[in-house]
Amino acid sequence: MSEKIVISPTSRQEGHAELVMEVDDEGIVTKGRYFSITPVRGLEKIVTGKSPETAPVIVQRICGVCPIPHTLACVEAMDDSLGIEPPKAGKLLRELVIAAHHVNSHAIHHFLIAPDFVPENLFAAAVNSVSEIRKTAQYVVDIVGGEGIHPSDIRIGGVAKNISELARKRLYARLKALQPKVDEHVDLIVGLVADKDLPKGLGVHDQPTIATDIVYGNRDNFDLDRFTEMMPERWYKDPEIGKKACSTIPLYDGVNIEVGPRARAVKYGGFSGKGTVAQHVARAMEMKTALSRAIAILDELNTSAPANVGNFDVRGTGKLGIGAIEGPRGMDVHMAQVGENGKTEFYSALVPTTWNIPTMGPATEGFHHEYGPHVIRGYDPCLSCATHMIVIDDEDKSVIKSKMVRL
């Protein structure tokens, strides 16, 4: 006899979501559905009709966990719409910020999953390791981006200013000194995940993975013509869930996909692992990749070179600009269109967890429902970023609009 297990809200993630699992007599999940119940964000509406420089300041407030990728995706989209090519130093500094953010964000996730994997006798050491890594990674974002949480110095056309030679040397020295700590931390996490002895095949699915770059992002590797999306009531085929779900369902080539550290490792590192354990391993290993890239950038950076294009013409070409950034949780795509009047005419964001939402629920199927939360946390979901606006009837709560609302 089928039974329904509902976890609402799911825990140790950013934002609120619900996991609904239908299970058989043995408690095995036969159908899993995961969806956002976080209220509307509406940031796309706020920036519409304002100057393009306003957008990076506003849309980075989509989330306090992922402000770096949202800022970078925004300025990349604006650059593309305005026909701007930032100078090399500006590009390197932008990439340095996202590399440090990868290290910081993955460390935060290890804090969130610590109760799942870390034994009591190692708990303090693991938490201290997370704190030490985050302190240095956030220092880099603070110095290069202007602020550790909402980076004010990442601008259209590059970054506000280059860093000084003294700052470059200091950051280089601190990141080199951090490498042994990160290596030790990664070994600890990978070992503890293996010791947990999760069921073989947990979280494995047959959906494709997509990534645009190994660290930063590349709009040339995202084809907008292959993207479609549908309203949740069509995807879940359950009227109750369709009414409650607060995000649209993005598809690539007509199917749901997985984005994030494992997707990047598969495309750029030849990684073949699948499922929940592989996601944890790929995320931990990516801390090393990101840190190495950050050090290489500081070694290459010319601090005497210009880091932005200077004054630019805000009168847009009308082109739909694309910004594709690889955030810690995956591909973050922002789209912006600036009109000839110098105002943002259209803005939309397809954030990482939105891509993963339709894949996460089915990934719980085939295993006992007690493992459902493990599968979900393997994706490090961030629902605050992922929620779009829909219009519902005040009386019966039915969805009025039949497509994603462009406010």
Side-chain angles (χ1 to χ4, degrees), residues 185-202:
H185 176 84
V186 170
D187 289 344
L188 174 67
I189 296 299
V190 171
L192 291 174
V193 170
D195 291 344
K196 183 69 176 181
D197 200 23
L198 291 172
K200 187 176 180 181
L202 181 68

Side-chain angles (χ1 to χ4, degrees), residues 147-222:
E147 295 178 35
I149 301 299
H150 295 298
S152 56
D153 285 351
I154 298 175
R155 309 282 178 85
I156 297 171
V159 297
K161 59 183 183 303
N162 207 331
I163 60 175
S164 68
E165 183 60 15
L166 179 59
R168 186 193 69 81
K169 290 179 177 177
R170 284 179 173 171
L171 293 177
Y172 184 87
R174 288 191 65 159
L175 291 183
K176 287 290 285 185
L178 184 65
Q179 272 190 314
K181 168 56 68 178
V182 168
D183 290 346
E184 180 184 356
H185 176 84
V186 170
D187 289 344
L188 174 67
I189 296 299
V190 171
L192 291 174
V193 170
D195 291 344
K196 183 69 176 181
D197 200 23
L198 291 172
K200 187 176 180 181
L202 181 68
V204 172
H205 58 74
D206 295 327
Q207 301 310 122
T209 56
I210 293 180
T212 64
D213 190 67
I214 189 170
V215 173
Y216 185 69
N218 186 339
R219 70 172 68 93
D220 294 337
N221 293 330
F222 173 76

Side-chain angles (χ1 to χ4, degrees), residues 69-135:
H70 289 316
T71 310
L72 291 168
C74 178
V75 295
E76 287 279 341
M78 288 297 181
D79 287 345
D80 193 28
S81 183
L82 294 168
I84 293 173
E85 180 67 18
K88 180 180 178 180
K91 292 180 178 178
L92 287 173
L93 289 168
R94 286 181 178 182
E95 187 178 359
L96 176 58
V97 171
I98 195 70
H101 181 65
H102 277 295
V103 176
N104 172 56
S105 184
H106 291 345
I108 293 174
H109 185 247
H110 291 157
F111 176 75
L112 293 175
I113 63 170
D116 294 336
F117 298 103
V118 183
E120 186 175 349
N121 64 319
L122 293 176
F123 203 87
V127 171
N128 289 338
S129 177
V130 166
S131 297
E132 187 175 340
I133 291 169
R134 290 197 60 219
K135 183 177 180 180

Side-chain angles (χ1 to χ4, degrees), residues 182-314:
V182 168
D183 290 346
E184 180 184 356
H185 176 84
V186 170
D187 289 344
L188 174 67
I189 296 299
V190 171
L192 291 174
V193 170
D195 291 344
K196 183 69 176 181
D197 200 23
L198 291 172
K200 187 176 180 181
L202 181 68
V204 172
H205 58 74
D206 295 327
Q207 301 310 122
T209 56
I210 293 180
T212 64
D213 190 67
I214 189 170
V215 173
Y216 185 69
N218 186 339
R219 70 172 68 93
D220 294 337
N221 293 330
F222 173 76
D223 187 348
L224 188 60
D225 291 335
R226 299 166 68 182
F227 158 73
T228 55
E229 63 183 340
M230 64 172 60
M231 291 295 288
E233 65 266 28
R234 282 187 59 205
W235 176 260
Y236 293 105
K237 299 182 176 20
D238 182 319
E240 292 302 315
I241 292 178
K243 289 179 182 178
K244 293 180 69 175
C246 295
S247 66
T248 55
I249 303 299
L251 305 173
Y252 204 74
D253 292 334
V255 299
N256 52 300
I257 60 173
E258 179 185 332
V259 299
R262 191 181 78 86
R264 288 188 285 268
V266 168
K267 182 166 184 177
Y268 298 102
F271 188 69
S272 59
K274 292 185 175 181
T276 302
V277 170
Q279 286 173 322
H280 288 305
V281 171
R283 182 175 293 106
M285 296 301 294
E286 191 171 70
M287 296 176 75
K288 291 185 177 184
T289 303
L291 181 57
S292 294
R293 180 58 187 149
I295 292 171
I297 289 171
L298 286 165
D299 196 33
E300 178 183 356
L301 180 68
N302 177 4
T303 54
S304 299
N308 60 69
V309 296
N311 295 327
F312 56 86
D313 190 347
V314 298

